[in-house]
Each structure stands twice: as structure tokens, then as C-alpha cells.
Amino acid sequence: SNLCAQPETIKEVVDRSNLIVIGTAGNSESVVINYLKGQVETHTEITVNEVIKGTLNQDTIKVSSPGGKIEEDRVLVEDAATFRNGEKSLLFLNELNPRGAYRVPLCTGKLSIETIANNKVVPCFTRDLLDSMDCVNKDKHIELDKLIERIKAL
């Protein structure tokens, strides 16, 4: 969508992330955070498979994205991350919110991990990745291992 300006560099995204993990989504639950303003957020349980930046002393975390569904009312927030149960993703998370959930930033907070030809890959989502030799296939993916190496080298 047009609200998402593509980040210039992976460094920019890493610098503004408090916690970067690879995780598997569990159950999601939407909660009303402000009745008057009709604000809803969705909390998802994430089983952490690997911590790439930051420190964590638990195996599961809760993440929060704006929007969600309460009974029959759906509040859609463009570019907010959504999670399917069992889905694996690379998450660039912000600080904990007052409800004890790490905030998933719009646009760049979640990269879904796919398997293509036995390689785990994620989309090349910054300009420097798109311009790099690592972003080779026509679908514009980078191997997850290569991206993790780049993040850890920063």
C-alpha cells in the first residue's frame, strides 16, 4: 500500500527494533483498548525459535498489532501485521506496550518466512537488500540465513 515507504536500509530497521526474533504464531485474540475511540488491538502468542537482537528469558512472547475483530465488529488497520496459527516469521519488534505485548510496527514489523527450493526465504524489504547480490530470484526474496548474517554483522 502507499502508506508504506520502503526503508532505505536494513540497518535503519534493525536500529529501531528493540527485539528481533524468529517465531511461530499461536493463538490470536483481539482486545478493545479504547472504547470511546473504538481502538482495538490484536495480541498473538509467539513461540520464539531464535533471538537475533535483544535479550529474552522466556520461550513465548505476546505481540500486538493494531486492529482486529471483536464479536462481529472488525477494525481494519492498513499495513498492520496479521498472523495465522503456525505461521513462521521474522519479527522486528518495538518496546512492550502497557498490556505486556511487544508492538509490531506497521509495514516492516513482520516478514513471513517461506520455503522455496528447500531454502527458507523472506522478502527483500529494504532498498539496499533489493539492490544487493543476495536478492536474486525473480520473486525478490533473500535467504533467511543470509539476512540474519547481515543483521548480526551490523
Side-chain angles (χ1 to χ4, degrees), residues 41 43 58 61-64 95-102:
E41 70 184 23
H43 294 165
Q58 71 249 42
I61 56 173
K62 193 163 67 169
V63 300
S64 107
E95 73 286 349
L96 285 168
N97 71 13
R99 290 159 295 283
Y102 287 92

Side-chain angles (χ1 to χ4, degrees), residues 4-135:
C4 288
Q6 191 176 59
E8 292 292 329
T9 64
I10 183 71
K11 181 178 187 337
E12 198 180 301
V13 179
V14 170
D15 284 349
R16 62 172 180 243
S17 304
N18 296 41
L19 183 66
I20 303 175
V21 300
I22 292 171
T24 305
N27 293 328
S28 292
E29 173 191 29
S30 298
V31 293
V32 177
I33 51 175
N34 186 324
Y35 275 104
L36 294 176
K37 291 184 182 162
Q39 287 176 327
V40 172
E41 70 184 23
T42 297
H43 294 165
T44 305
E45 288 282 321
I46 301 284
T47 300
V48 175
N49 308 112
E50 185 179 346
V51 177
I52 295 161
K53 177 187 172 180
T55 46
L56 204 58
N57 22 18
Q58 71 249 42
D59 299 332
T60 59
I61 56 173
K62 193 163 67 169
V63 300
S64 107
S65 318
K69 187 174 181 211
I70 306 277
E71 287 158 20
E72 294 311 301
D73 293 333
R74 188 177 281 279
V75 178
L76 282 176
V77 176
E78 209 180 349
D79 305 311
T82 57
F83 294 88
R84 288 189 323 278
N85 207 316
E87 178 183 21
K88 271 198 135 140
S89 51
L90 175 60
L91 298 169
F92 296 87
L93 302 170
N94 292 149
E95 73 286 349
L96 285 168
N97 71 13
R99 290 159 295 283
Y102 287 92
R103 289 189 316 108
V104 184
L106 296 174
C107 305
T108 55
K110 173 196 175 215
L111 297 180
S112 296
I113 298 171
E114 292 173 66
T115 301
I116 296 180
N118 288 329
N119 277 324
K120 288 193 166 65
V121 297
V122 292
C124 296
F125 71 118
T126 60
R127 297 229 173 100
D128 61 345
L129 287 181
L130 280 167
D131 292 341
S132 77
M133 293 302 292
D134 288 334
C135 190

Side-chain angles (χ1 to χ4, degrees), residues 140-154:
K140 298 293 179 214
H141 285 98
I142 182 171
E143 286 177 28
L144 182 60
D145 290 348
K146 287 187 176 170
L147 180 55
I148 292 171
E149 269 173 36
R150 278 172 175 260
I151 292 171
K152 288 185 168 170
L154 289 172

